[in-house]
Amino acid sequence: MNAKEIRKLFPILNQEINGHPLVYLDSAATSQKPLSVIEAVKHYYEWDNANVHRGVHTLGSRATDAYEGAREKVRRFLNARHTEEIIFTRGTTTALNLAAASYARSILREGDEIVITLMEHHSNLIPWQQVAKATGAALKYIPLQQDGNIALADAESTITDKTKVVAVAYVSNVMGVVHPVKELAAIAHRHGAVMVVDGAQSTPHMKVDVQELDCDFYALSGHKMCAPTGIGALYGKKELLEKMEPVEFGGEMIDFVDLYDSSWKELPWKFEGGTPIIAGAVGLGAAIDFLEDIGMDHIHDHEEKLSAYAMGVLSELEGLTIYGPRGNKRPGLVTFNLEDVHPHDVATFLDAEGIAVRAGHHCCQPLMRWLKASATARASFYLYNTEEDIDRLAESLRRTKEYFSDAIG
């Protein structure tokens, strides 16, 4: 199935914006949803809606089966060893905060180290800042190369025997860098540290095998991979999760409650207090079915070809600065600035022609300072985008430059 055929499966893409056919180039912020996912959530609410794990009636049983069935789909999608290693969360942010608050706070002491990079999304930076402040641990940064990549030699010199946590995004949401997570995990483990992976930008776009990566924690968001908003997951190695304490308390996560003490359920439920995001999990399961039907290798190859095409076309535009590494093995996003035009103005002009891109600091303010840019524009691609979409972007950017040049002149 080609991108034009896939596009037809997404109802929202069949519309005009400001009198122009919609070109959606903001999938790194959130992906659109195929009809099969929308219908799965609708069917759940129309036929199976009930709370899970509690009732013995038919609707409760069907809801529980759907919810736990989705967990098994996530396990298979990530190739985790055990279903209990999949904790449902609201998304990547909540998953990373869980790893930081439950695991890291309990094991870190003054003099210990947490290692991250300058290009981390705030969701994979601020939790570690807070843990460092609370425990007295030191926060260290692996330096970046000129193109935004990190060198393993720099990682080797930054990660020491004092390091207890290494936390890195698999794919940068700004630079389009794919970090060597497997190699970083090996370095971390040689020093007795755990490897935490922010998988928000990798999970929707490539095959992920957490056993092959040998990461200890892996966080993902459903809404970036064709699922509803408000659902995600934390993968954690079973032996680590079993030692961790919950950070939310209440119904569903308990085993026995006395007047002055309580005990917790086994994995994964001890981390899922209260009524869970049942419909979101159903939608996530349907999204995984959809992506696997298309094929993750197909999606990955399609995006690399689109990115290579975009780099070629956009590089021809005078006054356009593109950030991140060059080459044909680039994920589906291109971050750029147009000379003398603020990225918010660029995004506004593009929107007037029906083209949706992201503009701002992309929740990466330290990286923006490293780039010496207050903000950037970003076009991100997914399985429903085509070369024609990129041509539309390039043509509109030419008109943007002309418009503002005339205005300034």
Side-chain angles (χ1 to χ4, degrees):
M1 189 180 297
N2 62 40
K4 289 183 178 178
E5 294 171 325
I6 291 171
R7 180 186 175 92
K8 295 175 183 177
L9 303 177
F10 291 78
I12 197 171
L13 299 178
N14 185 31
Q15 63 174 295
E16 290 190 348
I17 300 293
N18 298 316
H20 300 272
L22 170 63
V23 173
Y24 186 76
L25 299 177
D26 196 21
S27 292
T30 194
S31 67
Q32 298 303 340
K33 321 307 175 194
L35 186 60
S36 60
V37 170
I38 296 169
E39 289 180 339
V41 175
K42 180 173 178 284
H43 181 273
Y44 165 77
Y45 278 125
E46 288 182 340
W47 293 98
D48 300 330
N49 182 48
N51 219 321
V52 296
H53 304 139
R54 302 180 186 184
V56 296
H57 55 74
T58 299
L59 294 185
S61 296
R62 291 206 309 238
T64 299
D65 290 345
Y67 181 71
E68 293 301 333
R71 193 192 309 275
E72 169 57 22
K73 289 179 182 180
V74 176
R75 182 209 65 79
R76 187 188 68 237
F77 195 67
L78 299 180
N79 193 34
R81 186 173 284 109
H82 307 288
T83 306
E84 306 95 289
E85 294 177 323
I86 305 301
I87 311 299
F88 280 130
T89 67
R90 290 192 299 109
T92 303
T93 298
T94 308
L96 292 169
N97 273 273
L98 174 58
S102 181
Y103 176 78
R105 283 199 185 216
S106 68
I107 63 101
L108 288 173
R109 301 291 182 269
E110 188 171 354
D112 291 338
E113 297 172 349
I114 306 164
V115 171
I116 62 174
T117 78
L118 275 172
M119 70 175 64
E120 299 309 313
H121 188 283
H122 295 162
S123 295
N124 198 38
L125 192 160
I126 298 172
W128 306 114
Q129 287 180 343
Q130 298 306 304
V131 167
K133 289 178 181 180
T135 62
L139 190 59
K140 295 172 63 178
Y141 291 83
I142 303 172
L144 303 182
Q145 302 296 300
Q146 188 173 0
D147 64 359
N149 277 300
I150 60 173
L152 288 177
D154 288 334
E156 291 271 13
S157 61
T158 307
I159 300 168
T160 72
D161 288 342
K162 294 181 180 180
T163 305
K164 297 297 184 287
V165 175
V166 178
V168 175
Y170 200 165
V171 174
S172 166
N173 70 313
V174 174
M175 302 291 280
V177 170
V178 181
H179 285 131
V181 167
K182 182 177 180 179
E183 291 79 5
L184 290 173
I187 296 170
H189 293 156
R190 284 202 299 272
H191 291 281
V194 301
M195 183 74 202
V196 181
V197 179
D198 172 358
Q201 299 295 339
S202 52
T203 318
H205 308 290
M206 62 180 69
K207 276 187 176 178
V208 173
D209 186 330
V210 293
Q211 292 190 65
E212 182 182 358
L213 295 175
D214 197 24
C215 56
D216 300 282
F217 297 99
Y218 186 99
L220 64 90
S221 288
H223 74 95
K224 297 182 188 293
M225 51 185 288
C226 298
T229 54
I231 185 67
L234 175 69
Y235 157 81
K237 287 182 178 177
K238 188 176 180 180
E239 58 269 25
L240 295 177
L241 292 174
E242 286 179 334
K243 296 175 183 177
M244 290 162 51
E245 287 292 303
V247 295
E248 287 189 325
F249 305 93
E252 192 58 29
M253 50 76 62
I254 51 87
D255 178 32
F256 181 78
V257 177
D258 205 346
L259 289 177
Y260 300 103
D261 200 9
S262 301
S263 58
W264 320 131
K265 273 188 180 178
E266 66 274 16
L267 291 174
W269 303 294
K270 74 173 180 178
F271 293 110
E272 296 178 10
T275 297
I277 311 153
I278 307 166
V282 170
L284 178 55
I288 288 173
D289 290 339
F290 176 80
L291 293 175
E292 289 183 331
D293 187 51
I294 300 296
M296 294 307 298
D297 287 338
H298 173 80
I299 294 169
H300 182 254
D301 292 345
H302 173 68
E303 290 183 15
E304 281 195 346
K305 290 175 183 176
L306 277 184
S307 291
Y309 183 77
M311 292 290 284
V313 171
L314 297 180
S315 294
E316 296 176 359
L317 297 178
E318 185 179 350
L320 191 80
T321 299
I322 298 176
Y323 301 97
R326 299 300 194 263
N328 294 328
K329 299 296 182 182
R330 184 184 175 104
L333 64 87
V334 178
T335 301
F336 58 89
N337 268 330
L338 195 58
E339 187 179 12
D340 296 328
V341 186
H342 194 281
H344 288 164
D345 293 328
V346 171
T348 300
F349 191 97
L350 294 177
D351 181 63
E353 298 197 348
I355 302 170
V357 300
R358 176 78 180 271
H361 55 64
H362 313 291
C363 297
C364 291
Q365 290 184 12
L367 178 60
M368 291 296 112
R369 288 190 288 274
W370 185 81
L371 293 172
K372 296 181 174 58
S374 61
T376 62
R378 182 188 67 194
S380 51
F381 323 120
Y382 205 17
L383 69 168
Y384 37 64
N385 290 118
T386 65
E387 290 182 355
E388 288 82 356
D389 292 340
I390 295 166
D391 291 337
R392 284 266 310 274
L393 171 66
E395 292 163 6
S396 190
L397 284 171
R398 287 190 187 95
R399 287 191 288 272
T400 305
K401 180 177 174 60
E402 292 170 2
Y403 174 85
F404 283 98
S405 294
D406 291 343
I408 294 171

